[in-house]
Amino acid sequence: MFNLIIFGPPGAGKGTQAQKISEDFNLIHLSTGALLREEVSQQTTIGKQVQTIVAGGGLVDDNIVDTIVKNEIEKNGPSAGFVFDGYPRNINQALKLDTLLTTKALPLVLNLEVNQEELISRLKLRGQKLGRADDNKTTISNRLLIYAQQTQPLLDFYAEKERLISVDGQGSIEEVFEHLKEQILKRK
Ligand code: B4P
């Protein structure tokens, strides 16, 4: 079994593509954003703790997110392969993930490249359609800024380890998926 990280700024299509990849390659889709939103909607102890941060587009504390990911990996047993979506988002999380996967193949990183105008327009559209608390103008700017400061530097981290593949994320959902699939099959 193998592992993948789907990487990119907010609105790049991570969740969309991770879903399709997980179905096609029989991997488990692990979205930290979705898991955090679930904690919030259930109003668990963690959910109450993180709801303001998630709604404002800030990064949730590493210990909370790392624990959620660790639990999901353990829950699914040693033979499961994952598509990590939205994780890691900073260098500490990236180092943590590699330690959590010591007995598994270290994930290849698929980076979706999408220009800023397109990102903003996709997120605004989703805000209008689904009403997600963090898809509004102010929060979108905050998320893009945090991405640039804390998450984007991981591209160098993975490139140095020769684990990074960048793909144009600007075609249709199907076109982007075909490009990703081609890259995965080359390395599988
Ligand atoms: P996420 O859920 O990861 O939010 P996201 O970055 O917006 O990605 P998402 O997967 O939802 O959107 P996508 O690009 O697929 O995180 C939410 C929040 O949770 C964070 O702000 C943070 O507070 C917290 N969090 C999560 N992980 C964390 C971590 N590791 N550490 C700390 N905090 C964490 O899609 C966007 C839109 O584009 C969709 O509407 C989609 O339909 C559309 N789209 C996709 N592909 C398209 C295409 N090819 N063409 C046109 N539209 C497309």
Side-chain angles (χ1 to χ4, degrees):
M1 202 41 94
F2 62 105
N3 296 290
L4 300 167
I5 294 171
I6 188 100
F7 196 90
K14 300 186 295 291
T16 308
Q17 297 296 336
Q19 180 64 34
K20 293 177 76 64
I21 292 168
S22 65
E23 283 164 14
D24 213 79
F25 291 93
N26 195 24
L27 299 169
I28 292 164
H29 178 190
L30 197 167
S31 161
T32 44
L35 291 167
L36 289 167
R37 283 189 289 279
E38 182 61 22
E39 298 277 352
V40 173
S41 81
Q42 301 291 323
Q43 283 292 288
T44 62
T45 311
I46 289 179
K48 286 178 187 161
Q49 234 176 308
V50 304
Q51 64 185 358
T52 314
I53 298 167
V54 173
L59 288 191
V60 168
D61 183 82
D62 289 343
N63 288 326
I64 294 178
V65 183
D66 291 343
T67 305
I68 288 177
V69 172
K70 182 171 179 279
N71 291 343
E72 289 296 311
I73 292 173
E74 287 174 359
K75 192 173 90 185
N76 285 286
S79 58
F82 292 86
V83 187
F84 296 97
D85 161 14
Y87 182 89
R89 260 180 156 90
N90 60 31
I91 189 71
N92 287 334
Q93 293 181 10
L95 294 168
K96 182 68 182 183
L97 180 60
D98 284 0
T99 69
L100 291 175
L101 295 172
T102 42
T103 58
K104 292 168 176 272
L106 291 181
L108 192 64
V109 181
L110 300 163
N111 173 41
L112 293 171
E113 294 182 318
V114 176
N115 72 45
Q116 193 100 342
E117 295 75 50
E118 173 77 12
L119 296 174
I120 294 169
S121 103
R122 286 183 189 180
L123 293 171
K124 278 189 181 160
L125 193 66
R126 185 171 64 185
Q128 285 158 13
K129 279 192 195 160
L130 303 180
R132 220 172 90 171
D134 56 345
D135 285 338
N136 61 69
K137 201 175 165 211
T138 318
T139 309
I140 291 168
S141 313
N142 191 31
R143 286 155 69 197
L144 290 170
L145 185 68
I146 290 176
Y147 173 79
Q149 290 171 338
Q150 298 197 45
T151 310
Q152 199 169 22
L154 292 182
L155 291 174
D156 287 339
F157 173 84
Y158 287 119
E160 278 166 24
K161 296 182 185 320
E162 298 185 351
R163 285 163 59 188
L164 180 71
I165 296 171
S166 286
V167 168
D168 183 1
Q170 293 206 134
S172 69
I173 289 172
E174 280 311 318
E175 279 165 352
V176 176
F177 178 58
E178 285 310 314
H179 292 149
L180 289 169
K181 204 168 155 181
E182 198 181 314
Q183 294 299 331
I184 298 167
L185 290 171
K186 264 192 214 167
R187 307 283 191 108
K188 208 176 149 217

